[in-house]
Amino acid sequence: MKDANRRRPAAEPEPQEPVRLQKTLAEAGLGSRREIEGWIRDGRVRVNGALAKLGDRVLPSDRIRVDGQEVRRRAAKRQNLRVLAYHKPEGEVVTRRDPEGRPTIFRHLPGIRDGRWIAVGRLDLNTAGLLLVTNHGELANRLMHPSCAIEREYAVRVRGAVSDDLLAQLVNGVELEDGPARFEEIVPSGGSDSHQWFHVLIVEGRNREVRRLWEAVGCTVSRLKRVRYGNVILGARPTPGQWREVVGEELAGLQALAGLGPPTSARAGLMTETEKDSRPGGSSKLRASSPMRRGGGRLKPRLSGR
């Protein structure tokens, strides 16, 4: 009886596996993994007093400092996930501090207690439209990562006439300095003899990719605006310089696209026939002249080597 009533010794806690440094800091809401990797390369991060390097892994007991400030870590599940849809006007930069003193998008964002705001990708100075920001580093990283192939839709105004042959090149693929690229779809959206509007779709986030694609076929972009990122649509609200909270089903859908929720299709395409007809000069989606057919008779552009 005495043996039966003896307390069993407490089980030894299982040893914790070290986690990559940039993942730990991203989960703490300090930035995206890509952004934090830059901090590590620049010598801004120390672990237990030693200068960090790419590939380092850390345990909960390790002390991490960024720019001399100790990082307070918390369990990711306790973080209050937030995502904002910000309407960036032309003339703003997507950085916290600009050496030239130009206005930044962060001056318009609300204060936050859980971490800090992380921009999901960038829009250049002269590009307007939808910019997602979040306090969740892992979500930001996945939304930007090429492996997720999340759609970005842009409205673009191009100077001069654009032939069908040029449009076919853009959906079949052109060679850029950093490799082949193409638009997944192009929808002509009206205009005049001097300027034409198009809606274009990409699934990568390369630097100035939309502008560079048009430049590669000899065209000049005079206006560029992102109107959709994944399942989040800009719409009439918010107005330039304003933001709205992404919540409910819209937030759940965005998490799912990033692989942080129930699975959903990451491929939506440009607007439906009903939505398309509401555009100026609404017309059918342009496909490549020699496309590869995939299920349902729907035509897709083809790019060699992809």
Side-chain angles (χ1 to χ4, degrees), residues 89-111:
E90 294 180 8
E92 285 187 352
V93 292
V94 187
T95 184
R96 296 182 191 280
R97 301 177 186 86
D98 182 61
E100 299 178 33
R102 295 171 296 185
T104 82
I105 65 126
F106 292 98
R107 67 176 183 168
H108 294 298
L109 302 182

Side-chain angles (χ1 to χ4, degrees), residues 168-188:
Q169 287 182 52
L170 289 168
V171 293
N172 278 317
V174 297
E175 193 69 31
L176 302 179
E177 59 269 25
D178 53 356
R182 65 177 168 89
F183 291 128
E184 300 296 313
E185 297 174 6
I186 302 177
V187 175

Side-chain angles (χ1 to χ4, degrees), residues 69-104:
Q69 299 295 314
E70 187 163 357
V71 175
R72 293 182 179 179
R73 287 183 269 173
R74 60 187 176 280
K77 65 181 180 181
R78 293 170 55 191
Q79 185 179 25
N80 180 27
L81 168 63
R82 293 184 67 187
V83 177
L84 304 182
Y86 177 67
H87 188 163
K88 177 191 172 298
E90 294 180 8
E92 285 187 352
V93 292
V94 187
T95 184
R96 296 182 191 280
R97 301 177 186 86
D98 182 61
E100 299 178 33
R102 295 171 296 185
T104 82

Side-chain angles (χ1 to χ4, degrees), residues 2-13:
K2 288 183 180 180
D3 290 340
N5 290 330
R6 274 184 200 164
R7 290 183 181 179
R8 294 181 180 179
E12 290 290 331

Side-chain angles (χ1 to χ4, degrees), residues 44-55:
R44 296 173 56 189
V45 184
R46 289 181 174 271
V47 178
N48 299 327
L51 202 62
K53 60 184 183 299
L54 289 175

